[in-house]
Amino acid sequence: MRFSILPVLALAGTFTSVLSAPTPEPLAIERRAATQASIIQSLITTVVPSLSALNATAHTVTPASAPAAIALAEAAAKPEIAAVVTAFSASTAQIKALKTTRDTTAIATRQATVPLGVLLGELVADVLAAVDALLNSLGLGPASGLLAPLGPALSALLLALELVVDDLLAAVETLVNDLLTGLAAGLILAK
């Protein structure tokens, strides 16, 4: 039976290249994602009463209602939309502030959070339900003026969260590239 040291060196080279490669601190990225998830959770808690009030207001009128009733519904919806936009802006500012600071959240807290994607899905679904109710009840004309500030505020919030996704993708890409490089080197040496 013949023993060759080359496959052992190739396997060791694979693990060494993966372990020695610099990575963009995945734990710090996960902590930042958890902090952002808590900000979004807080945002949802803040905007749900306003979105519920918008839904209730929307159900009081129809496009065929009297102009006075539609004007009252618009007047009732304006402060609620302003509250939602203000909450979006405040959360966006908090998330942007995270980009420049390091978070030292405990691992237990990080593991207890709901995934960021689930929270964003819930937030967007709630906002779209309120928008749909307003569009159906007030009609496109009156509702479009009311809802104009909501779109840019939601877009700014989602763009602020983009860096978490970019950081996670960079970490995964670095790990996979290093693993594949080490594996290729090991296969070449094993031949």
Side-chain angles (χ1 to χ4, degrees):
M1 182 166 182
R2 250 176 89 189
F3 178 74
S4 175
I5 191 79
L6 288 179
V8 174
L9 289 175
L11 186 60
T14 300
F15 289 118
T16 305
S17 69
V18 170
L19 296 176
S20 67
T23 59
E25 301 179 40
L27 190 58
I29 294 168
E30 288 177 20
R31 286 181 181 156
R32 190 170 38 209
T35 303
Q36 289 182 348
S38 68
I39 291 170
I40 297 299
Q41 182 66 48
S42 174
L43 173 64
I44 290 171
T45 304
T46 303
V47 299
V48 162
S50 295
L51 294 175
S52 297
L54 285 173
N55 282 328
T57 300
H59 292 298
T60 61
V61 295
T62 65
S65 295
I70 291 176
L72 283 175
E74 285 180 44
K78 276 184 185 179
E80 300 301 335
I81 291 174
V84 171
V85 169
T86 302
F88 281 177
S89 299
S91 295
T92 301
Q94 288 177 334
I95 290 169
K96 286 182 178 180
L98 287 176
K99 293 178 188 176
T100 59
T101 61
R102 289 218 177 261
D103 182 29
T104 56
T105 306
I107 291 175
T109 303
R110 175 179 54 89
Q111 291 173 343
T113 59
V114 178
L116 185 60
V118 172
L119 292 172
L120 284 175
E122 180 183 337
L123 177 66
V124 170
D126 289 347
V127 169
L128 289 179
V131 167
D132 185 49
L134 283 174
L135 285 173
N136 287 333
S137 65
L138 296 177
L140 184 59
S144 64
L146 282 173
L147 299 173
L150 196 57
L154 183 59
S155 295
L157 177 67
L158 294 176
L159 285 173
L161 293 168
E162 176 185 21
L163 281 184
V164 168
V165 175
D166 289 347
D167 285 348
L168 286 173
L169 289 177
V172 169
E173 180 183 15
T174 301
L175 290 173
V176 170
N177 284 342
D178 291 341
L179 179 66
L180 291 176
T181 302
L183 186 59
L187 290 175
I188 291 171
L189 290 175
K191 273 189 164 184

